[in-house]
PDB file of all heavy atoms in Angstrom:
ATOM      1  N   SER A  22       4.050  22.425  64.983  1.00 53.00           N
ATOM      2  CA  SER A  22       4.039  21.711  63.728  1.00 53.00           C
ATOM      3  C   SER A  22       2.654  21.934  63.086  1.00 53.00           C
ATOM      4  O   SER A  22       1.639  22.075  63.666  1.00 53.00           O
ATOM      5  CB  SER A  22       4.198  20.226  63.973  1.00 53.00           C
ATOM      6  OG  SER A  22       5.507  19.903  64.581  1.00 53.00           O
ATOM      7  N   GLY A  23       2.818  22.019  61.730  1.00 56.00           N
ATOM      8  CA  GLY A  23       1.519  22.042  61.028  1.00 56.00           C
ATOM      9  C   GLY A  23       0.654  20.800  61.139  1.00 56.00           C
ATOM     10  O   GLY A  23       1.113  19.756  61.601  1.00 56.00           O
ATOM     11  N   LEU A  24      -0.620  20.944  60.590  1.00 53.00           N
ATOM     12  CA  LEU A  24      -1.388  19.844  60.801  1.00 53.00           C
ATOM     13  C   LEU A  24      -0.943  18.525  60.051  1.00 53.00           C
ATOM     14  O   LEU A  24      -1.000  17.455  60.516  1.00 53.00           O
ATOM     15  CB  LEU A  24      -2.832  20.148  60.324  1.00 53.00           C
ATOM     16  CG  LEU A  24      -3.869  19.075  60.284  1.00 53.00           C
ATOM     17  CD1 LEU A  24      -4.320  18.633  61.726  1.00 53.00           C
ATOM     18  CD2 LEU A  24      -5.197  19.698  59.656  1.00 53.00           C
ATOM     19  N   VAL A  25      -0.362  18.704  58.765  1.00 53.00           N
ATOM     20  CA  VAL A  25      -0.005  17.599  58.091  1.00 53.00           C
ATOM     21  C   VAL A  25       1.166  16.903  58.839  1.00 53.00           C
ATOM     22  O   VAL A  25       1.250  15.651  58.987  1.00 53.00           O
ATOM     23  CB  VAL A  25       0.523  18.079  56.725  1.00 53.00           C
ATOM     24  CG1 VAL A  25       1.116  16.805  55.861  1.00 53.00           C
ATOM     25  CG2 VAL A  25      -0.723  18.516  55.890  1.00 53.00           C
ATOM     26  N   ALA A  26       2.181  17.731  59.358  1.00 56.00           N
ATOM     27  CA  ALA A  26       3.352  17.091  60.050  1.00 56.00           C
ATOM     28  C   ALA A  26       2.837  16.388  61.331  1.00 56.00           C
ATOM     29  O   ALA A  26       3.315  15.407  61.645  1.00 56.00           O
ATOM     30  CB  ALA A  26       4.312  18.227  60.428  1.00 56.00           C
ATOM     31  N   ARG A  27       1.809  16.954  61.958  1.00 59.00           N
ATOM     32  CA  ARG A  27       1.361  16.477  63.236  1.00 59.00           C
ATOM     33  C   ARG A  27       0.713  15.084  63.005  1.00 59.00           C
ATOM     34  O   ARG A  27       1.096  14.093  63.700  1.00 59.00           O
ATOM     35  CB  ARG A  27       0.281  17.405  63.863  1.00 59.00           C
ATOM     36  CG  ARG A  27      -0.445  16.885  65.084  1.00 59.00           C
ATOM     37  CD  ARG A  27       0.343  16.801  66.244  1.00 59.00           C
ATOM     38  NE  ARG A  27      -0.388  16.123  67.304  1.00 59.00           N
ATOM     39  CZ  ARG A  27      -0.063  16.145  68.662  1.00 59.00           C
ATOM     40  NH1 ARG A  27       1.066  16.777  69.094  1.00 59.00           N
ATOM     41  NH2 ARG A  27      -0.729  15.394  69.480  1.00 59.00           N
ATOM     42  N   VAL A  28      -0.144  14.956  62.002  1.00 60.00           N
ATOM     43  CA  VAL A  28      -0.840  13.788  61.620  1.00 60.00           C
ATOM     44  C   VAL A  28       0.203  12.652  61.167  1.00 60.00           C
ATOM     45  O   VAL A  28       0.199  11.550  61.590  1.00 60.00           O
ATOM     46  CB  VAL A  28      -1.868  13.945  60.544  1.00 60.00           C
ATOM     47  CG1 VAL A  28      -2.379  12.615  60.017  1.00 60.00           C
ATOM     48  CG2 VAL A  28      -3.018  14.855  61.156  1.00 60.00           C
ATOM     49  N   GLY A  29       1.229  13.163  60.352  1.00 61.00           N
ATOM     50  CA  GLY A  29       2.205  12.160  59.957  1.00 61.00           C
ATOM     51  C   GLY A  29       3.076  11.545  61.159  1.00 61.00           C
ATOM     52  O   GLY A  29       3.294  10.461  61.176  1.00 61.00           O
ATOM     53  N   MET A  30       3.368  12.516  62.053  1.00 67.00           N
ATOM     54  CA  MET A  30       4.015  12.097  63.197  1.00 67.00           C
ATOM     55  C   MET A  30       3.251  11.053  64.072  1.00 67.00           C
ATOM     56  O   MET A  30       3.762   9.971  64.544  1.00 67.00           O
ATOM     57  CB  MET A  30       4.504  13.193  64.159  1.00 67.00           C
ATOM     58  CG  MET A  30       5.684  14.037  63.564  1.00 67.00           C
ATOM     59  SD  MET A  30       7.172  13.081  63.673  1.00 67.00           S
ATOM     60  CE  MET A  30       7.516  13.033  65.317  1.00 67.00           C
ATOM     61  N   GLU A  31       2.061  11.294  64.176  1.00 71.00           N
ATOM     62  CA  GLU A  31       1.106  10.436  64.955  1.00 71.00           C
ATOM     63  C   GLU A  31       0.959   9.062  64.194  1.00 71.00           C
ATOM     64  O   GLU A  31       1.059   8.033  64.965  1.00 71.00           O
ATOM     65  CB  GLU A  31      -0.309  11.033  65.048  1.00 71.00           C
ATOM     66  CG  GLU A  31      -0.377  12.200  65.900  1.00 71.00           C
ATOM     67  CD  GLU A  31      -0.420  11.799  67.446  1.00 71.00           C
ATOM     68  OE1 GLU A  31      -0.248  10.599  67.755  1.00 71.00           O
ATOM     69  OE2 GLU A  31      -0.607  12.798  68.279  1.00 71.00           O
ATOM     70  N   LEU A  32       0.971   9.098  62.947  1.00 77.00           N
ATOM     71  CA  LEU A  32       0.868   7.870  62.158  1.00 77.00           C
ATOM     72  C   LEU A  32       2.160   6.897  62.326  1.00 77.00           C
ATOM     73  O   LEU A  32       2.132   5.756  62.303  1.00 77.00           O
ATOM     74  CB  LEU A  32       0.660   8.033  60.586  1.00 77.00           C
ATOM     75  CG  LEU A  32      -0.833   8.625  60.343  1.00 77.00           C
ATOM     76  CD1 LEU A  32      -0.824   8.921  58.883  1.00 77.00           C
ATOM     77  CD2 LEU A  32      -1.781   7.662  60.589  1.00 77.00           C
ATOM     78  N   PHE A  33       3.267   7.577  62.265  1.00 83.00           N
ATOM     79  CA  PHE A  33       4.578   6.840  62.319  1.00 83.00           C
ATOM     80  C   PHE A  33       5.078   6.585  63.780  1.00 83.00           C
ATOM     81  O   PHE A  33       6.104   5.967  63.773  1.00 83.00           O
ATOM     82  CB  PHE A  33       5.533   7.591  61.540  1.00 83.00           C
ATOM     83  CG  PHE A  33       5.432   7.505  59.993  1.00 83.00           C
ATOM     84  CD1 PHE A  33       4.842   8.524  59.369  1.00 83.00           C
ATOM     85  CD2 PHE A  33       5.798   6.304  59.321  1.00 83.00           C
ATOM     86  CE1 PHE A  33       4.600   8.432  57.893  1.00 83.00           C
ATOM     87  CE2 PHE A  33       5.530   6.070  58.030  1.00 83.00           C
ATOM     88  CZ  PHE A  33       5.052   7.301  57.299  1.00 83.00           C
ATOM     89  N   ARG A  34       4.509   7.268  64.748  1.00 86.00           N
ATOM     90  CA  ARG A  34       5.118   7.168  65.967  1.00 86.00           C
ATOM     91  C   ARG A  34       5.369   5.789  66.530  1.00 86.00           C
ATOM     92  O   ARG A  34       6.327   5.421  66.987  1.00 86.00           O
ATOM     93  CB  ARG A  34       4.268   8.089  66.905  1.00 86.00           C
ATOM     94  CG  ARG A  34       5.015   8.128  68.334  1.00 86.00           C
ATOM     95  CD  ARG A  34       4.029   8.909  69.295  1.00 86.00           C
ATOM     96  NE  ARG A  34       4.875   9.001  70.616  1.00 86.00           N
ATOM     97  CZ  ARG A  34       4.342   9.514  71.757  1.00 86.00           C
ATOM     98  NH1 ARG A  34       2.890   9.917  71.767  1.00 86.00           N
ATOM     99  NH2 ARG A  34       4.957   9.601  72.869  1.00 86.00           N
ATOM    100  N   SER A  35       4.287   5.012  66.556  1.00 87.00           N
ATOM    101  CA  SER A  35       4.326   3.635  67.064  1.00 87.00           C
ATOM    102  C   SER A  35       5.233   2.839  66.367  1.00 87.00           C
ATOM    103  O   SER A  35       6.040   1.913  66.928  1.00 87.00           O
ATOM    104  CB  SER A  35       2.850   3.031  67.234  1.00 87.00           C
ATOM    105  OG  SER A  35       2.380   2.924  65.899  1.00 87.00           O
ATOM    106  N   ARG A  36       5.218   2.957  65.060  1.00 92.00           N
ATOM    107  CA  ARG A  36       6.243   2.234  64.261  1.00 92.00           C
ATOM    108  C   ARG A  36       7.600   2.517  64.545  1.00 92.00           C
ATOM    109  O   ARG A  36       8.504   1.636  64.687  1.00 92.00           O
ATOM    110  CB  ARG A  36       6.047   2.397  62.726  1.00 92.00           C
ATOM    111  CG  ARG A  36       6.731   1.602  61.810  1.00 92.00           C
ATOM    112  CD  ARG A  36       6.546   1.952  60.333  1.00 92.00           C
ATOM    113  NE  ARG A  36       5.151   1.605  59.927  1.00 92.00           N
ATOM    114  CZ  ARG A  36       4.686   1.986  58.779  1.00 92.00           C
ATOM    115  NH1 ARG A  36       5.424   2.548  57.873  1.00 92.00           N
ATOM    116  NH2 ARG A  36       3.389   1.650  58.468  1.00 92.00           N
ATOM    117  N   LEU A  37       7.930   3.815  64.660  1.00 92.00           N
ATOM    118  CA  LEU A  37       9.275   4.224  65.035  1.00 92.00           C
ATOM    119  C   LEU A  37       9.673   3.836  66.452  1.00 92.00           C
ATOM    120  O   LEU A  37      10.780   3.504  66.660  1.00 92.00           O
ATOM    121  CB  LEU A  37       9.311   5.800  64.850  1.00 92.00           C
ATOM    122  CG  LEU A  37       9.402   6.322  63.457  1.00 92.00           C
ATOM    123  CD1 LEU A  37       9.235   7.806  63.493  1.00 92.00           C
ATOM    124  CD2 LEU A  37      10.674   5.929  62.704  1.00 92.00           C
ATOM    125  N   GLN A  38       8.658   3.782  67.387  1.00 93.00           N
ATOM    126  CA  GLN A  38       9.078   3.247  68.724  1.00 93.00           C
ATOM    127  C   GLN A  38       9.435   1.821  68.644  1.00 93.00           C
ATOM    128  O   GLN A  38      10.388   1.426  69.376  1.00 93.00           O
ATOM    129  CB  GLN A  38       7.831   3.519  69.522  1.00 93.00           C
ATOM    130  CG  GLN A  38       7.566   5.040  70.039  1.00 93.00           C
ATOM    131  CD  GLN A  38       6.354   5.052  70.912  1.00 93.00           C
ATOM    132  OE1 GLN A  38       5.444   4.327  70.785  1.00 93.00           O
ATOM    133  NE2 GLN A  38       6.317   6.112  71.787  1.00 93.00           N
ATOM    134  N   ARG A  39       8.709   1.102  67.914  1.00 94.00           N
ATOM    135  CA  ARG A  39       9.029  -0.426  67.769  1.00 94.00           C
ATOM    136  C   ARG A  39      10.407  -0.596  67.135  1.00 94.00           C
ATOM    137  O   ARG A  39      11.277  -1.399  67.533  1.00 94.00           O
ATOM    138  CB  ARG A  39       7.987  -1.159  66.909  1.00 94.00           C
ATOM    139  CG  ARG A  39       6.566  -1.293  67.621  1.00 94.00           C
ATOM    140  CD  ARG A  39       5.620  -2.284  66.960  1.00 94.00           C
ATOM    141  NE  ARG A  39       5.452  -1.840  65.578  1.00 94.00           N
ATOM    142  CZ  ARG A  39       4.455  -1.011  65.259  1.00 94.00           C
ATOM    143  NH1 ARG A  39       3.587  -0.603  66.152  1.00 94.00           N
ATOM    144  NH2 ARG A  39       4.122  -0.759  64.088  1.00 94.00           N
ATOM    145  N   TRP A  40      10.620   0.166  66.107  1.00 96.00           N
ATOM    146  CA  TRP A  40      12.016   0.088  65.493  1.00 96.00           C
ATOM    147  C   TRP A  40      13.084   0.437  66.518  1.00 96.00           C
ATOM    148  O   TRP A  40      14.177  -0.102  66.659  1.00 96.00           O
ATOM    149  CB  TRP A  40      12.007   1.037  64.305  1.00 96.00           C
ATOM    150  CG  TRP A  40      13.343   0.940  63.566  1.00 96.00           C
ATOM    151  CD1 TRP A  40      13.938   0.035  62.731  1.00 96.00           C
ATOM    152  CD2 TRP A  40      14.598   1.847  63.866  1.00 96.00           C
ATOM    153  NE1 TRP A  40      15.299   0.293  62.366  1.00 96.00           N
ATOM    154  CE2 TRP A  40      15.575   1.358  63.134  1.00 96.00           C
ATOM    155  CE3 TRP A  40      14.748   2.924  64.633  1.00 96.00           C
ATOM    156  CZ2 TRP A  40      16.953   2.066  63.073  1.00 96.00           C
ATOM    157  CZ3 TRP A  40      15.952   3.602  64.666  1.00 96.00           C
ATOM    158  CH2 TRP A  40      16.873   3.218  63.860  1.00 96.00           C
ATOM    159  N   ASP A  41      12.841   1.532  67.215  1.00 95.00           N
ATOM    160  CA  ASP A  41      13.890   2.022  68.244  1.00 95.00           C
ATOM    161  C   ASP A  41      14.121   0.973  69.264  1.00 95.00           C
ATOM    162  O   ASP A  41      15.461   0.838  69.649  1.00 95.00           O
ATOM    163  CB  ASP A  41      13.296   3.352  68.820  1.00 95.00           C
ATOM    164  CG  ASP A  41      14.446   4.060  69.605  1.00 95.00           C
ATOM    165  OD1 ASP A  41      15.514   4.187  69.137  1.00 95.00           O
ATOM    166  OD2 ASP A  41      14.048   4.542  70.753  1.00 95.00           O
ATOM    167  N   VAL A  42      13.263   0.332  69.747  1.00 96.00           N
ATOM    168  CA  VAL A  42      13.365  -0.831  70.695  1.00 96.00           C
ATOM    169  C   VAL A  42      14.157  -1.896  70.044  1.00 96.00           C
ATOM    170  O   VAL A  42      15.042  -2.508  70.590  1.00 96.00           O
ATOM    171  CB  VAL A  42      12.032  -1.131  71.314  1.00 96.00           C
ATOM    172  CG1 VAL A  42      12.291  -2.393  72.262  1.00 96.00           C
ATOM    173  CG2 VAL A  42      11.395  -0.005  72.101  1.00 96.00           C
ATOM    174  N   ALA A  43      13.771  -2.319  68.930  1.00 96.00           N
ATOM    175  CA  ALA A  43      14.243  -3.460  68.181  1.00 96.00           C
ATOM    176  C   ALA A  43      15.856  -3.233  67.904  1.00 96.00           C
ATOM    177  O   ALA A  43      16.589  -4.087  68.047  1.00 96.00           O
ATOM    178  CB  ALA A  43      13.494  -3.810  66.945  1.00 96.00           C
ATOM    179  N   SER A  44      16.098  -2.013  67.381  1.00 96.00           N
ATOM    180  CA  SER A  44      17.482  -1.692  67.050  1.00 96.00           C
ATOM    181  C   SER A  44      18.413  -1.571  68.342  1.00 96.00           C
ATOM    182  O   SER A  44      19.576  -1.889  68.278  1.00 96.00           O
ATOM    183  CB  SER A  44      17.544  -0.336  66.427  1.00 96.00           C
ATOM    184  OG  SER A  44      17.157   0.715  67.132  1.00 96.00           O
ATOM    185  N   ALA A  45      17.799  -1.270  69.489  1.00 96.00           N
ATOM    186  CA  ALA A  45      18.587  -1.274  70.634  1.00 96.00           C
ATOM    187  C   ALA A  45      19.079  -2.686  71.051  1.00 96.00           C
ATOM    188  O   ALA A  45      20.220  -2.825  71.631  1.00 96.00           O
ATOM    189  CB  ALA A  45      17.783  -0.760  71.749  1.00 96.00           C
ATOM    190  N   ALA A  46      18.416  -3.710  70.581  1.00 95.00           N
ATOM    191  CA  ALA A  46      18.826  -5.052  70.870  1.00 95.00           C
ATOM    192  C   ALA A  46      20.071  -5.536  70.127  1.00 95.00           C
ATOM    193  O   ALA A  46      20.859  -6.478  70.579  1.00 95.00           O
ATOM    194  CB  ALA A  46      17.729  -6.083  70.517  1.00 95.00           C
ATOM    195  N   GLN A  47      20.539  -4.667  69.085  1.00 94.00           N
ATOM    196  CA  GLN A  47      21.693  -4.951  68.350  1.00 94.00           C
ATOM    197  C   GLN A  47      22.954  -4.421  68.907  1.00 94.00           C
ATOM    198  O   GLN A  47      24.040  -4.648  68.573  1.00 94.00           O
ATOM    199  CB  GLN A  47      21.501  -4.469  66.942  1.00 94.00           C
ATOM    200  CG  GLN A  47      20.259  -4.965  66.159  1.00 94.00           C
ATOM    201  CD  GLN A  47      20.236  -4.386  64.871  1.00 94.00           C
ATOM    202  OE1 GLN A  47      21.086  -4.343  64.082  1.00 94.00           O
ATOM    203  NE2 GLN A  47      19.015  -3.812  64.606  1.00 94.00           N
TER     204      GLN A  47
END
């Protein structure tokens, strides 16, 4: 991945993990 994509993924990773866990509860 390019630098921009890599930084973007790092920024959103924890937020997406939290959403992934929360959505599993449904």
